[in-house]
């Protein structure tokens, strides 16, 4: 009897020791947020700021420098917050470098980049009224449309502000604009706005003639 009780106690102790050595695998593994079973947390993206379409002050200064000789004249900041009829403008004082005397003021639209003669008192005048206005360099020409000299058709299609594609007769090409004239050196054709005939183009070189707007 005692021997049986001893054997029972011995077996019980061994069984208890075995249980304490075994651990639950699930309880020994810490949960991982990067495990194969976890879902990735989506990264929050910041909204992109809206792109402003307004003309900057630097842009406005560069526009003026295209036709105003900055070796002779200074472009001085006058007003950056001029507003007329709900539209904003930059105002520049144009002064002679030699004697620092102002020759006038120019306003540039913050929205379109269009230039105006600024007379003060929130009054804008046409840019042609500005003292340094030069029709040879400042006038805006529309290098687009259909023209004819009576026998040939001329078509102009603008590429950008400085060039356009054209076709006249059997010739196709691209011309580069320089104020009131344009040239296609490859085909030896020069285009010039005719001062004496408003809206007419004079072609010289490989093609010659005066081309007027074609009837629509």
């Amino acid at each position: 009897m005692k021997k049986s009780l001893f054997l029972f106690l011995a077996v019980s102790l061994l069984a208890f020791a075995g249980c304490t050595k075994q651990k639950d695998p699930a309880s020994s593994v810490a949960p991982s947020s990067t495990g194969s079973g976890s879902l990735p947390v989506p990264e929050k993206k910041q909204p992109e700021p809206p792109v402003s379409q307004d003309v900057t002050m630097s842009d406005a200064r560069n526009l003026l420098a295209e036709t105003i000789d900055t070796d002779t004249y200074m472009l001085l900041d006058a007003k950056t917050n001029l507003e007329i009829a709900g539209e904003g403008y930059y105002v520049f004082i144009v002064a002679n470098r030699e004697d620092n005397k102002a020759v006038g003021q120019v306003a540039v639209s913050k929205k379109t980049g269009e230039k105006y003669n600024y007379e003060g008192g929130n009054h804008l005048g046409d840019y042609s009224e500005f003292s340094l206005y030069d029709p040879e360099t400042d006038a805006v020409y529309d290098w687009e449309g259909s023209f004819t000299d009576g026998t040939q058709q001329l078509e102009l299609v603008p590429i950008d502000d400085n060039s356009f594609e054209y076709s006249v007769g059997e010739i196709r090409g691209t011309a580069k604009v320089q104020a009131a004239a344009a040239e296609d050196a490859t085909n030896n054709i020069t285009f010039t706005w005719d001062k004496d005939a408003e809206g007419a183009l004079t072609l010289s070189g490989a093609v010659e003639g005066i081309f007027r707007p074609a009837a629509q």
Side-chain angles (χ1 to χ4, degrees):
M1 180 71 179
K2 290 181 179 180
K3 186 175 180 181
S4 298
L5 179 60
F6 177 78
L7 289 173
F8 173 76
L9 291 174
V11 171
S12 298
L13 288 172
L14 288 173
F16 177 76
C19 290
T20 57
K21 288 181 181 179
Q22 294 179 358
K23 293 184 179 180
D24 185 358
S27 65
S28 63
V29 179
S32 172
S33 61
T34 59
S36 60
S38 62
L39 294 174
V41 179
E43 183 179 346
K44 292 182 179 180
K45 293 184 178 180
Q46 297 296 327
E48 296 183 1
V51 178
S52 173
Q53 299 298 319
D54 287 348
V55 175
T56 67
M57 182 169 242
S58 177
D59 294 335
R61 185 184 297 277
N62 290 336
L63 284 171
L64 295 179
E66 288 179 359
T67 55
I68 295 177
D69 181 5
T70 53
D71 290 333
T72 304
Y73 299 96
M74 298 179 289
L75 302 176
L76 307 175
D77 301 346
K79 284 187 177 182
T80 59
N81 58 351
L82 176 66
E83 188 169 318
I84 300 174
E87 186 169 343
Y89 300 86
Y90 300 110
V91 178
F92 298 87
I93 297 172
V94 183
N96 196 309
R97 289 185 180 276
E98 187 175 348
D99 55 15
N100 292 329
K101 289 185 178 180
V103 297
Q105 296 185 86
V106 178
V108 179
S109 168
K110 293 182 179 181
K111 185 177 181 180
T112 64
E114 188 171 354
K115 301 179 290 187
Y116 299 87
N117 181 47
Y118 183 61
E119 302 173 7
N122 287 7
H123 180 72
L124 299 176
D126 193 89
Y127 186 67
S128 62
E129 300 171 6
F130 179 55
S131 61
L132 298 181
Y133 174 82
D134 181 354
E136 292 293 329
T137 57
D138 289 308
V140 177
Y141 299 96
D142 187 11
W143 298 97
E144 181 178 12
S146 299
F147 302 79
T148 181
D149 66 349
T151 58
Q152 298 184 92
Q153 191 81 6
L154 170 65
E155 298 287 342
L156 305 183
V157 178
I159 298 174
D160 51 37
D161 291 340
N162 302 309
S163 61
F164 61 85
E165 293 179 340
Y166 72 90
S167 63
V168 55
E170 300 294 325
I171 301 175
R172 306 286 186 276
T174 301
K176 294 192 176 297
V177 175
Q178 182 62 46
E183 181 183 13
D184 177 5
T186 302
N187 289 321
N188 187 30
I189 300 178
T190 300
F191 305 76
T192 308
W193 287 103
D194 195 326
K195 298 178 182 178
D196 299 324
E198 186 176 351
L201 273 171
T202 298
L203 271 62
S204 57
V207 177
E208 296 186 347
I210 298 177
F211 288 74
R212 292 178 171 81
Q216 299 298 321

